[in-house]
Amino acid sequence: QTLMGIIQTSLSLIGFGFAMVLFFRQFGGEAGVDLRMPARNFGMFLVIMGVSIVAVGLFEHRRRFTDIRNTVNELQYPVEKL
């Protein structure tokens, strides 16, 4: 995946986590079952997963960029001209 795809996926997870918490806080009591705590826990799980995916994606992007730079240096091409 590209860095853009990783960021898009993680932002979707984070946004859905927040939306789930807000939705069940608003409408969870009307159903007669209190789902606020499980929704909060699952929402926090989604937010943590989203942040973790961004962190891993940034490290992976940095590693790929370093590999490309090393390959270019081995081929004796100046990086500034790329």
Side-chain angles (χ1 to χ4, degrees), residues 8 30 59 80:
Q8 181 181 9
E30 294 178 8
F59 285 122
E80 293 81 24

Side-chain angles (χ1 to χ4, degrees), residues 18-74:
F18 280 118
M20 179 181 288
V21 171
L22 293 176
F23 177 79
F24 281 107
R25 183 176 291 168
Q26 181 92 17
F27 299 110
E30 294 178 8
V33 178
D34 189 18
L35 297 174
R36 288 181 289 176
M37 288 301 288
R40 184 189 67 113
N41 292 340
F42 189 64
M44 285 185 65
F45 172 74
L46 289 178
V47 170
I48 291 169
M49 284 294 293
V51 171
S52 301
I53 288 172
V54 167
V56 170
L58 287 174
F59 285 122
E60 185 67 22
H61 177 73
R62 179 70 178 170
R63 186 188 62 80
R64 286 182 190 165
F65 183 75
T66 304
D67 288 346
I68 291 171
R69 183 185 298 163
N70 291 339
T71 302
V72 168
N73 286 339
E74 289 174 5

